[in-house]
C-alpha cells in the first residue's frame, strides 16, 4: 500500500470534500481518501499496481480542482 498527499487548490466547503473523496474513492485500488480543508490537502492510500498518482490527480482535476 502506497500513500500520497497532494496539495489541491479550490476546495472550500463540505461539497468539495464529498466531491473529491467520492470520485477518488471510487477508483479501483484506492483504499482511503482524506481531505483536509484547512491545509488544502488530499491524502490517498492506494495500491500502486492498480492505480497511478497521475490517475488520482486527473480525477481531482475532473472534479474542477487544481492539483498544485
Amino acid at each position: 500500500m502506497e500513500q500520497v498527499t497532494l496539495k489541491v487548490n479550490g476546495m472550500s466547503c463540505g461539497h468539495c470534500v464529498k466531491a473529491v473523496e467520492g470520485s477518488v474513492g471510487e477508483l479501483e485500488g484506492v483504499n482511503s481518501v482524506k481531505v483536509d480543508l484547512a491545509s488544502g490537502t488530499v491524502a490517498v492510500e492506494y495500491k500502486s499496481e492498480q492505480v497511478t498518482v497521475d490517475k488520482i490527480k486527473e480525477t481531482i482535476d475532473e472534479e474542477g480542482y487544481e492539483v498544485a
Side-chain angles (χ1 to χ4, degrees):
M1 204 62 81
E2 307 286 327
Q3 239 183 325
V4 65
T5 301
L6 304 168
K7 179 77 173 149
V8 179
N9 298 320
M11 300 185 302
S12 61
C13 63
H15 171 77
C16 302
V17 172
K18 285 182 183 174
V20 172
E21 288 183 349
S23 62
V24 174
E26 288 178 3
L27 292 173
E28 188 163 338
V30 170
N31 189 48
S32 69
V33 184
K34 179 71 176 129
V35 173
D36 184 337
L37 282 180
S39 63
T41 59
V42 179
V44 183
E45 188 176 89
Y46 65 100
K47 294 179 183 169
S48 58
E49 62 273 6
Q50 290 183 285
V51 66
T52 64
V53 172
D54 284 342
K55 181 61 179 170
I56 294 168
K57 289 178 179 179
E58 180 184 310
T59 301
I60 293 170
D61 285 340
E62 287 171 358
E63 287 298 323
Y65 307 102
E66 178 190 357
V67 179

Short mmCIF file of all heavy atoms in Angstrom, two decimals:
data_model
loop_
_atom_site.label_atom_id
_atom_site.label_comp_id
_atom_site.label_asym_id
_atom_site.label_seq_id
_atom_site.Cartn_x
_atom_site.Cartn_y
_atom_site.Cartn_z
N MET A 1 0.85 -1.18 0.00
CA MET A 1 0.00 0.00 0.00
C MET A 1 0.89 1.25 0.00
O MET A 1 1.79 1.36 0.81
CB MET A 1 -0.87 -0.04 1.24
CG MET A 1 -2.16 0.73 1.17
SD MET A 1 -3.37 0.25 -0.04
CE MET A 1 -4.17 -1.12 0.71
N GLU A 2 0.61 2.13 -0.94
CA GLU A 2 1.35 3.40 -1.04
C GLU A 2 0.50 4.51 -0.43
O GLU A 2 -0.72 4.37 -0.30
CB GLU A 2 1.62 3.73 -2.51
CG GLU A 2 2.29 2.65 -3.30
CD GLU A 2 3.76 2.51 -2.96
OE1 GLU A 2 4.40 3.52 -2.64
OE2 GLU A 2 4.25 1.39 -3.00
N GLN A 3 1.15 5.64 -0.14
CA GLN A 3 0.44 6.80 0.35
C GLN A 3 0.98 8.04 -0.32
O GLN A 3 2.19 8.16 -0.54
CB GLN A 3 0.61 6.93 1.87
CG GLN A 3 -0.71 6.89 2.57
CD GLN A 3 -0.56 7.09 4.06
OE1 GLN A 3 0.41 6.66 4.67
NE2 GLN A 3 -1.53 7.74 4.65
N VAL A 4 0.08 8.96 -0.69
CA VAL A 4 0.49 10.24 -1.27
C VAL A 4 -0.40 11.32 -0.69
O VAL A 4 -1.59 11.10 -0.43
CB VAL A 4 0.41 10.21 -2.83
CG1 VAL A 4 -1.02 10.05 -3.31
CG2 VAL A 4 1.06 11.45 -3.43
N THR A 5 0.19 12.49 -0.44
CA THR A 5 -0.57 13.65 0.00
C THR A 5 -0.39 14.73 -1.06
O THR A 5 0.73 15.14 -1.34
CB THR A 5 -0.10 14.16 1.38
OG1 THR A 5 -0.26 13.09 2.32
CG2 THR A 5 -0.92 15.35 1.83
N LEU A 6 -1.50 15.16 -1.64
CA LEU A 6 -1.48 16.14 -2.72
C LEU A 6 -2.01 17.48 -2.23
O LEU A 6 -2.98 17.53 -1.47
CB LEU A 6 -2.36 15.66 -3.89
CG LEU A 6 -2.01 14.30 -4.46
CD1 LEU A 6 -3.12 13.83 -5.40
CD2 LEU A 6 -0.67 14.35 -5.19
N LYS A 7 -1.37 18.56 -2.66
CA LYS A 7 -1.86 19.91 -2.38
C LYS A 7 -2.88 20.23 -3.46
O LYS A 7 -2.58 20.12 -4.65
CB LYS A 7 -0.69 20.89 -2.41
CG LYS A 7 -1.07 22.31 -2.15
CD LYS A 7 -1.32 22.56 -0.68
CE LYS A 7 -1.55 24.06 -0.45
NZ LYS A 7 -2.46 24.30 0.64
N VAL A 8 -4.10 20.59 -3.05
CA VAL A 8 -5.17 20.84 -4.01
C VAL A 8 -5.76 22.23 -3.76
O VAL A 8 -6.14 22.56 -2.63
CB VAL A 8 -6.27 19.76 -3.90
CG1 VAL A 8 -7.40 20.03 -4.88
CG2 VAL A 8 -5.67 18.37 -4.14
N ASN A 9 -5.83 23.03 -4.82
CA ASN A 9 -6.39 24.37 -4.72
C ASN A 9 -7.86 24.37 -5.12
O ASN A 9 -8.27 23.60 -5.98
CB ASN A 9 -5.62 25.33 -5.65
CG ASN A 9 -4.17 25.46 -5.28
OD1 ASN A 9 -3.82 25.51 -4.10
ND2 ASN A 9 -3.30 25.50 -6.26
N GLY A 10 -8.64 25.24 -4.49
CA GLY A 10 -10.04 25.43 -4.88
C GLY A 10 -11.05 24.75 -3.99
O GLY A 10 -12.25 24.93 -4.17
N MET A 11 -10.62 23.97 -3.03
CA MET A 11 -11.56 23.29 -2.12
C MET A 11 -11.88 24.24 -0.95
O MET A 11 -10.97 24.76 -0.33
CB MET A 11 -10.96 22.00 -1.57
CG MET A 11 -10.60 20.98 -2.60
SD MET A 11 -10.02 19.42 -1.89
CE MET A 11 -8.62 19.95 -0.90
N SER A 12 -13.19 24.43 -0.69
CA SER A 12 -13.53 25.39 0.35
C SER A 12 -14.72 25.00 1.23
O SER A 12 -15.05 25.72 2.15
CB SER A 12 -13.82 26.75 -0.29
OG SER A 12 -14.91 26.62 -1.19
N CYS A 13 -15.37 23.86 0.91
CA CYS A 13 -16.59 23.54 1.66
C CYS A 13 -16.82 22.03 1.73
O CYS A 13 -16.07 21.25 1.14
CB CYS A 13 -17.79 24.21 1.00
SG CYS A 13 -18.10 23.61 -0.67
N GLY A 14 -17.88 21.66 2.41
CA GLY A 14 -18.22 20.25 2.55
C GLY A 14 -18.52 19.58 1.21
O GLY A 14 -18.21 18.41 1.02
N HIS A 15 -19.12 20.34 0.29
CA HIS A 15 -19.38 19.78 -1.04
C HIS A 15 -18.07 19.40 -1.72
O HIS A 15 -17.98 18.36 -2.39
CB HIS A 15 -20.16 20.77 -1.91
CG HIS A 15 -20.28 20.32 -3.32
ND1 HIS A 15 -21.16 19.33 -3.72
CD2 HIS A 15 -19.60 20.69 -4.43
CE1 HIS A 15 -21.01 19.13 -5.02
NE2 HIS A 15 -20.07 19.95 -5.47
N CYS A 16 -17.07 20.25 -1.58
CA CYS A 16 -15.75 19.98 -2.18
C CYS A 16 -15.18 18.68 -1.62
O CYS A 16 -14.65 17.85 -2.37
CB CYS A 16 -14.78 21.12 -1.87
SG CYS A 16 -15.32 22.75 -2.44
N VAL A 17 -15.29 18.52 -0.31
CA VAL A 17 -14.79 17.31 0.35
C VAL A 17 -15.50 16.08 -0.21
O VAL A 17 -14.85 15.10 -0.60
CB VAL A 17 -14.98 17.39 1.88
CG1 VAL A 17 -14.64 16.07 2.54
CG2 VAL A 17 -14.15 18.53 2.46
N LYS A 18 -16.83 16.12 -0.29
CA LYS A 18 -17.60 14.99 -0.80
C LYS A 18 -17.26 14.69 -2.25
O LYS A 18 -17.17 13.52 -2.63
CB LYS A 18 -19.10 15.26 -0.65
CG LYS A 18 -19.61 15.13 0.75
CD LYS A 18 -21.11 15.36 0.80
CE LYS A 18 -21.60 15.31 2.24
NZ LYS A 18 -23.01 15.65 2.35
N ALA A 19 -17.10 15.72 -3.07
CA ALA A 19 -16.80 15.53 -4.48
C ALA A 19 -15.46 14.84 -4.67
O ALA A 19 -15.35 13.86 -5.43
CB ALA A 19 -16.80 16.88 -5.21
N VAL A 20 -14.44 15.32 -3.97
CA VAL A 20 -13.10 14.74 -4.12
C VAL A 20 -13.03 13.35 -3.49
O VAL A 20 -12.55 12.40 -4.12
CB VAL A 20 -12.02 15.68 -3.53
CG1 VAL A 20 -10.66 15.00 -3.50
CG2 VAL A 20 -11.96 16.98 -4.34
N GLU A 21 -13.50 13.23 -2.26
CA GLU A 21 -13.44 11.91 -1.60
C GLU A 21 -14.27 10.88 -2.35
O GLU A 21 -13.86 9.73 -2.49
CB GLU A 21 -13.91 12.02 -0.14
CG GLU A 21 -12.91 12.72 0.76
CD GLU A 21 -13.31 12.76 2.23
OE1 GLU A 21 -14.47 12.45 2.56
OE2 GLU A 21 -12.45 13.14 3.05
N GLY A 22 -15.41 11.30 -2.88
CA GLY A 22 -16.27 10.37 -3.61
C GLY A 22 -15.65 9.90 -4.91
O GLY A 22 -15.61 8.69 -5.19
N SER A 23 -15.15 10.84 -5.71
CA SER A 23 -14.61 10.46 -7.03
C SER A 23 -13.31 9.69 -6.91
O SER A 23 -13.11 8.67 -7.58
CB SER A 23 -14.44 11.69 -7.92
OG SER A 23 -13.52 12.59 -7.34
N VAL A 24 -12.41 10.14 -6.05
CA VAL A 24 -11.13 9.44 -5.88
C VAL A 24 -11.37 8.09 -5.20
O VAL A 24 -10.77 7.08 -5.56
CB VAL A 24 -10.11 10.29 -5.09
CG1 VAL A 24 -8.85 9.50 -4.79
CG2 VAL A 24 -9.77 11.56 -5.87
N GLY A 25 -12.29 8.05 -4.24
CA GLY A 25 -12.59 6.82 -3.53
C GLY A 25 -13.16 5.72 -4.41
O GLY A 25 -13.05 4.55 -4.09
N GLU A 26 -13.76 6.11 -5.55
CA GLU A 26 -14.33 5.13 -6.49
C GLU A 26 -13.28 4.48 -7.38
O GLU A 26 -13.57 3.48 -8.04
CB GLU A 26 -15.40 5.79 -7.36
CG GLU A 26 -16.67 6.10 -6.60
CD GLU A 26 -17.71 6.80 -7.47
OE1 GLU A 26 -17.47 7.00 -8.67
OE2 GLU A 26 -18.76 7.16 -6.92
N LEU A 27 -12.09 5.05 -7.43
CA LEU A 27 -11.05 4.48 -8.29
C LEU A 27 -10.62 3.11 -7.77
O LEU A 27 -10.44 2.93 -6.56
CB LEU A 27 -9.81 5.40 -8.33
CG LEU A 27 -9.98 6.74 -9.02
CD1 LEU A 27 -8.73 7.59 -8.81
CD2 LEU A 27 -10.25 6.56 -10.51
N GLU A 28 -10.47 2.17 -8.67
CA GLU A 28 -10.01 0.84 -8.28
C GLU A 28 -8.59 0.94 -7.76
O GLU A 28 -7.73 1.57 -8.36
CB GLU A 28 -10.06 -0.11 -9.48
CG GLU A 28 -9.77 -1.53 -9.07
CD GLU A 28 -10.20 -2.55 -10.11
OE1 GLU A 28 -11.07 -2.24 -10.94
OE2 GLU A 28 -9.65 -3.66 -10.06
N GLY A 29 -8.36 0.35 -6.60
CA GLY A 29 -7.03 0.37 -5.99
C GLY A 29 -6.88 1.41 -4.90
O GLY A 29 -5.90 1.40 -4.17
N VAL A 30 -7.85 2.33 -4.77
CA VAL A 30 -7.79 3.34 -3.71
C VAL A 30 -8.42 2.76 -2.45
O VAL A 30 -9.56 2.31 -2.47
CB VAL A 30 -8.51 4.64 -4.14
CG1 VAL A 30 -8.65 5.59 -2.95
CG2 VAL A 30 -7.75 5.32 -5.27
N ASN A 31 -7.66 2.76 -1.38
CA ASN A 31 -8.11 2.22 -0.11
C ASN A 31 -8.79 3.27 0.76
O ASN A 31 -9.82 3.02 1.37
CB ASN A 31 -6.92 1.60 0.64
CG ASN A 31 -7.35 0.82 1.87
OD1 ASN A 31 -8.26 0.02 1.81
ND2 ASN A 31 -6.70 1.09 2.99
N SER A 32 -8.21 4.48 0.80
CA SER A 32 -8.80 5.55 1.60
C SER A 32 -8.44 6.92 1.04
O SER A 32 -7.39 7.07 0.40
CB SER A 32 -8.36 5.46 3.06
OG SER A 32 -6.99 5.77 3.18
N VAL A 33 -9.32 7.88 1.28
CA VAL A 33 -9.11 9.26 0.84
C VAL A 33 -9.51 10.15 2.01
O VAL A 33 -10.59 9.99 2.57
CB VAL A 33 -10.02 9.62 -0.36
CG1 VAL A 33 -9.71 11.03 -0.85
CG2 VAL A 33 -9.88 8.61 -1.48
N LYS A 34 -8.65 11.11 2.35
CA LYS A 34 -8.95 12.04 3.44
C LYS A 34 -8.62 13.46 2.99
O LYS A 34 -7.46 13.76 2.71
CB LYS A 34 -8.14 11.67 4.69
CG LYS A 34 -8.37 12.59 5.86
CD LYS A 34 -9.75 12.39 6.47
CE LYS A 34 -9.93 13.25 7.69
NZ LYS A 34 -11.14 14.04 7.67
N VAL A 35 -9.66 14.29 2.88
CA VAL A 35 -9.48 15.69 2.52
C VAL A 35 -9.34 16.51 3.79
O VAL A 35 -10.12 16.36 4.73
CB VAL A 35 -10.68 16.21 1.68
CG1 VAL A 35 -10.57 17.70 1.45
CG2 VAL A 35 -10.75 15.46 0.36
N ASP A 36 -8.35 17.41 3.81
CA ASP A 36 -8.17 18.35 4.91
C ASP A 36 -8.33 19.76 4.34
O ASP A 36 -7.43 20.27 3.69
CB ASP A 36 -6.79 18.16 5.54
CG ASP A 36 -6.58 19.04 6.77
OD1 ASP A 36 -7.28 20.08 6.89
OD2 ASP A 36 -5.73 18.70 7.59
N LEU A 37 -9.51 20.34 4.55
CA LEU A 37 -9.77 21.68 4.01
C LEU A 37 -8.84 22.73 4.57
O LEU A 37 -8.42 23.63 3.84
CB LEU A 37 -11.22 22.10 4.31
CG LEU A 37 -12.32 21.52 3.43
CD1 LEU A 37 -13.68 22.06 3.88
CD2 LEU A 37 -12.09 21.83 1.97
N ALA A 38 -8.52 22.64 5.85
CA ALA A 38 -7.67 23.65 6.50
C ALA A 38 -6.31 23.76 5.83
O ALA A 38 -5.79 24.86 5.62
CB ALA A 38 -7.51 23.33 7.98
N SER A 39 -5.73 22.61 5.46
CA SER A 39 -4.41 22.64 4.84
C SER A 39 -4.48 22.54 3.32
O SER A 39 -3.47 22.66 2.64
CB SER A 39 -3.54 21.50 5.38
OG SER A 39 -4.11 20.24 5.03
N GLY A 40 -5.68 22.29 2.79
CA GLY A 40 -5.84 22.16 1.34
C GLY A 40 -5.14 20.94 0.77
O GLY A 40 -4.57 20.98 -0.31
N THR A 41 -5.21 19.83 1.53
CA THR A 41 -4.53 18.62 1.08
C THR A 41 -5.51 17.44 0.96
O THR A 41 -6.56 17.43 1.59
CB THR A 41 -3.39 18.21 2.04
OG1 THR A 41 -3.94 18.00 3.34
CG2 THR A 41 -2.29 19.26 2.08
N VAL A 42 -5.10 16.50 0.13
CA VAL A 42 -5.83 15.26 -0.03
C VAL A 42 -4.84 14.12 0.18
O VAL A 42 -3.86 14.01 -0.56
CB VAL A 42 -6.46 15.15 -1.45
CG1 VAL A 42 -7.19 13.83 -1.60
CG2 VAL A 42 -7.40 16.31 -1.72
N ALA A 43 -5.07 13.31 1.20
CA ALA A 43 -4.21 12.16 1.49
C ALA A 43 -4.90 10.91 0.95
O ALA A 43 -6.06 10.66 1.24
CB ALA A 43 -3.99 12.03 3.00
N VAL A 44 -4.16 10.16 0.13
CA VAL A 44 -4.72 8.98 -0.51
C VAL A 44 -3.84 7.77 -0.22
O VAL A 44 -2.62 7.83 -0.37
CB VAL A 44 -4.82 9.16 -2.05
CG1 VAL A 44 -5.48 7.96 -2.69
CG2 VAL A 44 -5.55 10.44 -2.40
N GLU A 45 -4.47 6.69 0.22
CA GLU A 45 -3.78 5.42 0.40
C GLU A 45 -4.26 4.53 -0.75
O GLU A 45 -5.47 4.38 -0.95
CB GLU A 45 -4.15 4.80 1.74
CG GLU A 45 -3.33 3.58 2.09
CD GLU A 45 -3.66 3.05 3.47
OE1 GLU A 45 -4.58 2.22 3.58
OE2 GLU A 45 -3.01 3.48 4.44
N TYR A 46 -3.31 3.98 -1.50
CA TYR A 46 -3.68 3.25 -2.72
C TYR A 46 -2.70 2.13 -3.03
O TYR A 46 -1.60 2.08 -2.48
CB TYR A 46 -3.74 4.22 -3.90
CG TYR A 46 -2.38 4.81 -4.25
CD1 TYR A 46 -1.64 4.29 -5.31
CD2 TYR A 46 -1.83 5.85 -3.53
CE1 TYR A 46 -0.39 4.80 -5.62
CE2 TYR A 46 -0.58 6.37 -3.82
CZ TYR A 46 0.13 5.84 -4.87
OH TYR A 46 1.37 6.34 -5.17
N LYS A 47 -3.12 1.25 -3.94
CA LYS A 47 -2.27 0.16 -4.42
C LYS A 47 -1.68 0.59 -5.76
O LYS A 47 -2.41 0.74 -6.74
CB LYS A 47 -3.09 -1.12 -4.59
CG LYS A 47 -3.62 -1.67 -3.30
CD LYS A 47 -4.44 -2.91 -3.53
CE LYS A 47 -5.03 -3.41 -2.21
NZ LYS A 47 -6.03 -4.44 -2.43
N SER A 48 -0.37 0.77 -5.81
CA SER A 48 0.28 1.31 -7.00
C SER A 48 0.19 0.38 -8.20
O SER A 48 0.31 0.83 -9.34
CB SER A 48 1.75 1.64 -6.71
OG SER A 48 2.43 0.50 -6.25
N GLU A 49 -0.08 -0.91 -7.97
CA GLU A 49 -0.23 -1.82 -9.10
C GLU A 49 -1.61 -1.69 -9.75
O GLU A 49 -1.83 -2.21 -10.84
CB GLU A 49 0.04 -3.27 -8.70
CG GLU A 49 -0.88 -3.85 -7.66
CD GLU A 49 -0.45 -3.60 -6.21
OE1 GLU A 49 0.54 -2.85 -5.99
OE2 GLU A 49 -1.10 -4.13 -5.30
N GLN A 50 -2.53 -0.97 -9.09
CA GLN A 50 -3.89 -0.81 -9.63
C GLN A 50 -4.21 0.60 -10.10
O GLN A 50 -5.04 0.78 -10.98
CB GLN A 50 -4.92 -1.25 -8.59
CG GLN A 50 -4.93 -2.74 -8.34
CD GLN A 50 -6.01 -3.11 -7.35
OE1 GLN A 50 -5.88 -2.88 -6.16
NE2 GLN A 50 -7.09 -3.68 -7.84
N VAL A 51 -3.61 1.61 -9.49
CA VAL A 51 -3.91 2.99 -9.85
C VAL A 51 -2.65 3.84 -9.68
O VAL A 51 -1.83 3.58 -8.80
CB VAL A 51 -5.07 3.55 -8.98
CG1 VAL A 51 -4.69 3.67 -7.52
CG2 VAL A 51 -5.60 4.87 -9.53
N THR A 52 -2.49 4.85 -10.56
CA THR A 52 -1.30 5.71 -10.51
C THR A 52 -1.64 7.05 -9.86
O THR A 52 -2.81 7.45 -9.80
CB THR A 52 -0.77 6.00 -11.94
OG1 THR A 52 -1.78 6.73 -12.66
CG2 THR A 52 -0.44 4.71 -12.67
N VAL A 53 -0.60 7.74 -9.41
CA VAL A 53 -0.78 9.08 -8.86
C VAL A 53 -1.34 10.00 -9.94
O VAL A 53 -2.20 10.85 -9.67
CB VAL A 53 0.54 9.63 -8.28
CG1 VAL A 53 0.39 11.08 -7.88
CG2 VAL A 53 0.98 8.80 -7.08
N ASP A 54 -0.88 9.82 -11.19
CA ASP A 54 -1.40 10.63 -12.29
C ASP A 54 -2.90 10.46 -12.47
O ASP A 54 -3.62 11.42 -12.73
CB ASP A 54 -0.67 10.30 -13.60
CG ASP A 54 0.73 10.89 -13.65
OD1 ASP A 54 1.02 11.82 -12.87
OD2 ASP A 54 1.52 10.44 -14.49
N LYS A 55 -3.39 9.24 -12.33
CA LYS A 55 -4.83 8.98 -12.45
C LYS A 55 -5.59 9.64 -11.30
O LYS A 55 -6.68 10.19 -11.50
CB LYS A 55 -5.10 7.46 -12.49
CG LYS A 55 -6.56 7.11 -12.62
CD LYS A 55 -7.18 7.64 -13.91
CE LYS A 55 -8.64 7.25 -14.03
NZ LYS A 55 -9.29 7.96 -15.14
N ILE A 56 -5.02 9.61 -10.11
CA ILE A 56 -5.64 10.27 -8.95
C ILE A 56 -5.71 11.78 -9.20
O ILE A 56 -6.76 12.40 -9.00
CB ILE A 56 -4.86 9.95 -7.66
CG1 ILE A 56 -4.99 8.45 -7.33
CG2 ILE A 56 -5.35 10.81 -6.49
CD1 ILE A 56 -4.04 7.95 -6.26
N LYS A 57 -4.61 12.37 -9.68
CA LYS A 57 -4.59 13.80 -9.99
C LYS A 57 -5.61 14.15 -11.06
O LYS A 57 -6.32 15.15 -10.96
CB LYS A 57 -3.19 14.23 -10.45
CG LYS A 57 -2.15 14.23 -9.35
CD LYS A 57 -0.80 14.62 -9.92
CE LYS A 57 0.28 14.65 -8.88
NZ LYS A 57 1.60 15.01 -9.44
N GLU A 58 -5.68 13.32 -12.10
CA GLU A 58 -6.62 13.54 -13.20
C GLU A 58 -8.06 13.53 -12.69
O GLU A 58 -8.89 14.35 -13.09
CB GLU A 58 -6.41 12.44 -14.25
CG GLU A 58 -7.31 12.52 -15.45
CD GLU A 58 -7.10 11.34 -16.39
OE1 GLU A 58 -5.92 11.05 -16.73
OE2 GLU A 58 -8.10 10.71 -16.76
N THR A 59 -8.36 12.62 -11.79
CA THR A 59 -9.71 12.52 -11.22
C THR A 59 -10.05 13.77 -10.41
O THR A 59 -11.18 14.28 -10.50
CB THR A 59 -9.81 11.25 -10.35
OG1 THR A 59 -9.51 10.12 -11.17
CG2 THR A 59 -11.20 11.08 -9.75
N ILE A 60 -9.11 14.29 -9.66
CA ILE A 60 -9.33 15.52 -8.89
C ILE A 60 -9.54 16.69 -9.86
O ILE A 60 -10.44 17.52 -9.67
CB ILE A 60 -8.16 15.79 -7.93
CG1 ILE A 60 -8.13 14.70 -6.85
CG2 ILE A 60 -8.27 17.18 -7.30
CD1 ILE A 60 -6.88 14.71 -5.98
N ASP A 61 -8.73 16.76 -10.91
CA ASP A 61 -8.88 17.81 -11.93
C ASP A 61 -10.27 17.76 -12.56
O ASP A 61 -10.89 18.80 -12.79
CB ASP A 61 -7.83 17.65 -13.04
CG ASP A 61 -6.44 18.12 -12.62
OD1 ASP A 61 -6.34 18.89 -11.65
OD2 ASP A 61 -5.47 17.70 -13.27
N GLU A 62 -10.76 16.55 -12.84
CA GLU A 62 -12.07 16.39 -13.47
C GLU A 62 -13.20 16.89 -12.58
O GLU A 62 -14.27 17.26 -13.06
CB GLU A 62 -12.31 14.92 -13.84
CG GLU A 62 -11.49 14.48 -15.03
CD GLU A 62 -11.54 12.98 -15.27
OE1 GLU A 62 -12.20 12.23 -14.51
OE2 GLU A 62 -10.91 12.54 -16.26
N GLU A 63 -12.95 16.93 -11.27
CA GLU A 63 -13.95 17.47 -10.34
C GLU A 63 -13.90 19.01 -10.27
O GLU A 63 -14.72 19.63 -9.62
CB GLU A 63 -13.76 16.89 -8.93
CG GLU A 63 -14.18 15.45 -8.80
CD GLU A 63 -15.66 15.22 -9.07
OE1 GLU A 63 -16.49 16.07 -8.68
OE2 GLU A 63 -15.99 14.18 -9.67
N GLY A 64 -12.92 19.59 -10.95
CA GLY A 64 -12.84 21.06 -11.01
C GLY A 64 -11.85 21.68 -10.04
O GLY A 64 -11.88 22.90 -9.83
N TYR A 65 -10.96 20.87 -9.47
CA TYR A 65 -9.97 21.39 -8.54
C TYR A 65 -8.58 21.23 -9.13
O TYR A 65 -8.34 20.35 -9.94
CB TYR A 65 -10.08 20.66 -7.18
CG TYR A 65 -11.48 20.70 -6.65
CD1 TYR A 65 -12.32 19.61 -6.77
CD2 TYR A 65 -11.98 21.87 -6.10
CE1 TYR A 65 -13.64 19.66 -6.33
CE2 TYR A 65 -13.30 21.93 -5.65
CZ TYR A 65 -14.12 20.83 -5.78
OH TYR A 65 -15.41 20.89 -5.35
N GLU A 66 -7.68 22.09 -8.72
CA GLU A 66 -6.34 22.12 -9.29
C GLU A 66 -5.34 21.48 -8.32
O GLU A 66 -5.17 21.95 -7.19
CB GLU A 66 -5.93 23.57 -9.58
CG GLU A 66 -4.55 23.69 -10.13
CD GLU A 66 -4.06 25.13 -10.18
OE1 GLU A 66 -4.83 26.06 -9.84
OE2 GLU A 66 -2.90 25.33 -10.54
N VAL A 67 -4.67 20.44 -8.80
CA VAL A 67 -3.60 19.82 -8.01
C VAL A 67 -2.35 20.67 -8.21
O VAL A 67 -1.90 20.87 -9.33
CB VAL A 67 -3.36 18.37 -8.44
CG1 VAL A 67 -2.22 17.76 -7.60
CG2 VAL A 67 -4.62 17.54 -8.29
N ALA A 68 -1.82 21.20 -7.11
CA ALA A 68 -0.67 22.10 -7.18
C ALA A 68 0.62 21.34 -7.42
O ALA A 68 0.72 20.16 -7.14
CB ALA A 68 -0.55 22.90 -5.89
#
